[in-house]
Amino acid sequence: CFSNKVQMLEYYHNSSWLEHGGSPDRAVRTAFDCGIRLVDTASFYENEREVGRAVREAVRSGIPREELFVETKLYPSQYGDPEGAIEKALRTLGLEYVDMMVLHHPGAGDTAVYRTIERAVERGEVRSIGLSNWYVKELEDFLPKVKTRPALVQNEIHPFYQEREVVPFIQDLGIAVQSWYPLGGRGWTKAILTHPTITGIAERLGKTPAQIVLRWHLERGVAVIPGSSDPEHIRENAALFDFSLTEDDHAAIALLDRGEKHDWY
């Protein structure tokens, strides 16, 4: 089942994650209008209800449910009752199933939680499983303990933190890679989008700096979920498929890697 979703994920690399505040349902509807078909949420974001409502409205408007890909995540504080957490996510979203359920962070009992999600996959309540904030050591420790290999790992990845060893390690396992901070994250986006390397490439190609960075991710085989509730930014983030970067562009952006992580996990 997930093989088709992987193709969709690859095609709709430009996706959206949504946090507290703003108008999540409006942002999701804007994303769907732009051709985006993947939305990432989480219990921790407290907007699953709005995301689910937007998905149901999209289906009523004529978008087949099987074209939409809904990711949600369980937070470590929920690991003590994974069955209850899965039931709550489905109830809050108002959906019969989610396309992917992700463990938000490593934490006590995460293996047992993963096995519980595996059983939810067997029941049809979850279509695939992912991990967030798992790196080489975490994966080497974790994967031998579970039956089903995760379909996706989402980590912090951006020009200042490129994970040039972690990304190919995950991809070589046959696991998709997704960046949850593709533009650098809170407080750092401006530094990346105003960097002369990025602005120079953007000026040459007639694109915005954000589009350059997101396209760079895609050409590395990294799916992106840029967070935005601004319709203009969502539309900008969706327009990534009519240009390409050169080898020189990639070499220049590679030099921006500082090993600079912008969040604690």
Side-chain angles (χ1 to χ4, degrees):
C1 176
F2 185 68
S3 61
N4 291 332
K5 298 301 183 182
V6 169
Q7 294 173 10
M8 188 178 300
L9 179 62
E10 290 173 348
Y11 185 76
Y12 293 107
H13 278 300
N14 48 304
S15 313
S16 294
W17 63 262
L18 299 155
E19 284 194 305
H20 313 273
S23 178
D25 47 350
R26 186 185 68 173
V28 175
R29 289 196 299 270
T30 300
F32 290 162
D33 289 343
C34 293
I36 293 171
R37 291 294 182 265
L38 186 152
V39 59
D40 177 272
T41 183
S43 62
F44 185 74
Y45 301 161
E46 298 181 353
N47 62 15
E48 287 176 312
R49 193 176 308 279
E50 292 84 355
V51 169
R53 181 168 61 235
V55 170
R56 295 193 303 274
E57 290 176 358
V59 172
R60 285 195 295 269
S61 73
I63 300 177
R65 172 64 180 90
E66 59 269 21
E67 286 189 10
L68 304 176
F69 197 97
V70 180
E71 297 176 355
T72 194
K73 298 186 278 296
L74 302 185
Y75 204 70
S77 61
Q78 300 175 288
Y79 289 0
D81 180 18
E83 288 284 4
I86 293 169
E87 179 183 348
K88 180 182 178 182
L90 292 170
R91 184 174 64 251
T92 304
L93 285 161
L95 301 177
E96 294 182 1
Y97 67 90
V98 293
D99 298 277
M100 178 176 290
M101 188 157 285
V102 179
L103 299 190
H104 212 144
H105 304 288
D110 52 22
T111 302
V113 176
Y114 193 97
R115 291 172 178 161
T116 301
I117 300 175
E118 288 179 321
R119 293 192 289 274
V121 171
E122 294 172 357
R123 296 193 300 266
E125 297 171 348
V126 176
R127 296 295 176 88
S128 58
I129 313 175
L131 301 172
S132 184
N133 306 299
W134 256 260
Y135 301 90
V136 173
K137 183 181 184 302
E138 290 84 357
L139 287 168
E140 289 177 336
D141 291 343
F142 187 83
L143 293 181
K145 301 174 185 177
V146 298
K147 180 175 65 176
T148 307
R149 180 165 292 184
L152 174 143
V153 172
Q154 55 173 228
N155 286 337
E156 177 180 344
I157 307 168
H158 48 75
F160 291 171
Y161 190 74
Q162 298 184 16
E163 289 201 338
R164 281 186 278 178
E165 295 181 359
V166 178
V167 169
F169 174 83
I170 296 171
Q171 292 171 333
D172 287 346
L173 292 171
I175 300 172
V177 179
Q178 190 177 65
S179 168
W180 48 255
Y181 261 179
L183 300 176
R186 304 173 196 85
W188 295 97
T189 299
K190 182 177 179 180
I192 289 177
L193 298 187
T194 59
H195 193 284
T197 295
I198 301 299
T199 58
I201 296 171
E203 183 175 354
R204 193 189 82 243
L205 293 177
K207 298 295 178 180
T208 68
Q211 289 171 325
I212 297 303
V213 174
L214 295 176
R215 182 69 196 184
W216 167 77
H217 282 286
L218 303 192
E219 293 186 5
R220 297 180 72 208
V222 175
V224 292
I225 43 175
S228 179
S229 59
D230 184 298
E232 183 178 347
H233 289 164
I234 292 171
R235 286 188 285 270
E236 176 186 336
N237 293 342
L240 304 176
F241 300 99
D242 60 348
F243 70 101
S244 299
L245 304 182
T246 66
E247 291 184 7
D248 287 344
D249 293 334
H250 279 275
I253 295 174
L255 296 176
L256 303 185
D257 191 2
R258 306 173 179 176
E260 184 177 275
K261 210 168 189 308
H262 293 161
D263 227 318
W264 64 270
Y265 34 74

